[in-house]
Amino acid sequence: MAAAITVTADQEPHDRLKALKAFDELKTGVKGLVDSGITSIPQIFIHPSDTLSTSSIQYDPDIIPTIDLSALDGDRRPAIVDQIARASRERGFFHVLNHGIQSEVMDQTIKAVKGFHELPTEIKSKMYNRDKGHSVSFFSNVDLFHNIEAVCWRDSLQIMVGSNRLEDEEIPEICRNEVVEWHSQLKPLAELLIGFMCEGLGLDKERLKEMKFSEAGAIVGHYYPYCPQPDLTLGLKSHTDASMLTILLQDHIGGLQIKHNGNWVDVKPVPGALAVFVGDILQMIFNDEYKSGEHRVVANSGREPRTSVPVFFYASNMDASYGPLPELLSLDKPALYRQFSLSDFIRRFFADDWDGKSLLDFYRI
């Protein structure tokens, strides 16, 4: 199986495209390569050395804040608002604890998504597709044919929600109940966090409610199997999220890193905590008051696979015009971004190679 997609290190673009198509046509994802017994990764997965940058800083709670959301209605509320605002300004990333979602629900969600990825190939491959018209898709690397450098060592189950696109029966039975329940539980948390972010800028906590961001977005179940050469590839390359807000559930394996002051910082999984990322859309709406968090995932060197479930929240009206909020603008702080529609933003995000802040730069005035 692996031999069908292995090409030489000095491959021409035509050869690379041929290798990408051969891999995609297998419909087994990266896990299929691992199951075939490969001991070296195909050339299409090998990243340039300057993008790998294996040096990193170990987990530091001063860099990666964990915010306790308990006692929200008490005297601690102003402190919580301040902590979230500061983390959103300085990191674009933080953990939240005591968020109201039971650990059993979190564990069952991870278990169910992992169970899907470990289904027999003949079952799972029937769902493998890249058709954007599908509400539910299984694939390896959403940007497989747009990536100009190298692809990453992971498989994904993507479930689109909102605008009446999601029908429960389309979700694989092995994880259907868990995924639907997970999204249901995350919606009020996303609304709460956005409200805190608004308050942190002196805005009414309901300021973005009309965008109905908790009603639309995507649930993605990532699966990072063992990689025989983890020093040559990545699980997920450096990027910021094309969302308003991303809430990430991850297992205990680890591998997530965030960029801070030019260095990669390991994000140690905190038991019971959820990771929260400020997305590009929120950065533009808040006119750079908050920054989207740049992050990546290193390739999994352990025999136990890593599973994570990010939920990306957007606004429900994809064709409406958005831009920096007028309340945040002044003569001293003019609008930094032009008006944009979410449909155009998402289209550009998936059409182009991920390149850190490239989309923000595209919309910047």
Side-chain angles (χ1 to χ4, degrees):
M1 183 179 294
I5 62 169
T6 301
V7 293
T8 61
D10 58 348
Q11 61 186 344
E12 295 296 327
H14 175 75
D15 295 326
R16 183 176 184 279
L17 179 60
K18 184 178 179 181
L20 290 170
K21 288 181 177 179
F23 168 68
D24 201 47
E25 289 170 0
L26 293 174
K27 298 185 177 181
T28 60
V30 170
K31 187 178 185 300
L33 300 181
V34 176
D35 291 343
S36 73
I38 65 169
T39 57
S40 61
I41 65 175
Q43 179 68 27
I44 58 174
F45 292 93
I46 298 178
H47 287 245
S49 58
D50 60 341
T51 67
L52 291 171
S53 180
T54 55
S55 61
S56 61
I57 300 173
Q58 291 187 343
Y59 174 74
D60 184 341
D62 291 331
I63 297 177
I64 304 172
T66 297
I67 302 171
D68 185 350
L69 298 183
S70 62
L72 291 178
D73 297 325
D75 295 338
R76 291 191 60 249
R77 182 184 178 90
I80 293 172
V81 170
D82 181 67
Q83 288 175 319
I84 289 176
R86 190 182 322 121
S88 299
R89 283 191 179 96
E90 299 174 359
R91 306 285 186 269
F93 173 86
F94 52 92
H95 280 128
V96 290
L97 270 175
N98 296 313
H99 39 67
I101 302 177
Q102 295 182 344
S103 59
E104 291 83 0
V105 176
M106 300 169 66
D107 293 342
Q108 287 300 314
T109 302
I110 288 288
K111 181 179 178 180
V113 170
K114 182 173 182 286
F116 166 80
H117 284 285
E118 295 179 350
L119 284 172
T121 298
E122 60 270 21
I123 297 175
K124 194 172 55 175
S125 62
K126 293 178 181 178
M127 297 191 62
Y128 195 98
N129 72 82
R130 299 185 180 279
D131 184 354
K132 290 182 173 58
H134 281 258
S135 295
V136 181
S137 302
F138 161 59
F139 50 75
S140 183
N141 287 264
V142 68
D143 58 343
L144 185 72
F145 294 105
H146 297 289
N147 202 304
I148 62 174
E149 291 183 340
V151 293
C152 294
W153 201 256
R154 76 179 184 284
D155 298 328
S156 304
L157 172 67
Q158 178 175 276
I159 302 166
M160 303 303 297
V161 296
S163 302
N164 299 317
R165 292 189 63 189
L166 179 60
E167 297 292 341
D168 292 356
E169 59 267 22
E170 294 184 34
I171 304 173
E173 185 176 1
I174 193 171
C175 61
R176 181 182 303 154
N177 293 337
E178 290 81 2
V179 166
V180 171
E181 175 65 18
W182 183 244
H183 183 252
S184 174
Q185 297 237 4
L186 273 196
K187 287 168 61 177
L189 178 59
E191 292 170 359
L192 180 71
L193 292 172
I194 291 288
F196 283 148
M197 291 177 176
C198 287
E199 287 187 64
L201 295 177
L203 304 171
D204 186 282
K205 66 179 182 179
E206 305 288 342
R207 178 63 180 85
L208 300 182
K209 190 173 182 178
E210 71 274 9
M211 295 180 68
K212 298 181 179 179
F213 55 85
S214 66
E215 300 296 328
I219 307 166
V220 182
H222 288 314
Y223 185 86
Y224 302 85
Y226 163 73
C227 180
Q229 293 178 298
D231 56 327
L232 297 181
T233 189
L234 289 168
L236 183 62
K237 72 176 190 176
S238 173
H239 69 287
T240 56
D241 289 342
S243 64
M244 286 188 64
L245 191 74
T246 303
I247 301 180
L248 171 71
L249 169 66
Q250 59 176 332
D251 64 14
H252 63 285
I253 301 299
L256 175 66
Q257 297 180 330
I258 66 166
K259 197 74 167 288
H260 176 63
N261 289 339
N263 297 308
W264 288 109
V265 181
D266 293 326
V267 179
K268 178 181 177 181
V270 177
L274 293 170
V276 180
F277 294 91
V278 174
D280 290 343
I281 295 170
L282 203 62
Q283 176 169 337
M284 291 194 288
I285 289 173
F286 285 155
N287 207 42
D288 277 3
E289 292 292 336
Y290 295 154
K291 302 297 178 64
S292 54
E294 186 176 355
H295 53 288
R296 71 178 189 179
V297 177
V298 298
N300 184 11
S301 61
R303 289 292 176 175
E304 184 177 359
R306 176 181 187 265
T307 304
S308 68
V309 187
V311 178
F312 303 92
F313 291 96
Y314 307 100
S316 60
N317 190 339
M318 298 294 287
D319 295 319
S321 181
Y322 300 99
L325 296 177
E327 304 97 305
L328 299 177
L329 307 181
S330 66
L331 290 176
D332 295 328
K333 188 68 181 288
L336 300 176
Y337 299 95
R338 54 191 173 86
Q339 296 289 307
F340 63 95
S341 70
L342 294 186
S343 57
D344 182 68
F345 184 89
I346 298 300
R347 179 183 61 79
R348 292 182 183 280
F349 178 81
F350 286 112
D352 299 331
D353 177 39
W354 291 1
D355 187 20
K357 300 286 184 175
S358 60
L359 268 183
L360 289 176
D361 289 341
F362 178 83
Y363 288 101
R364 193 178 290 274
I365 295 175

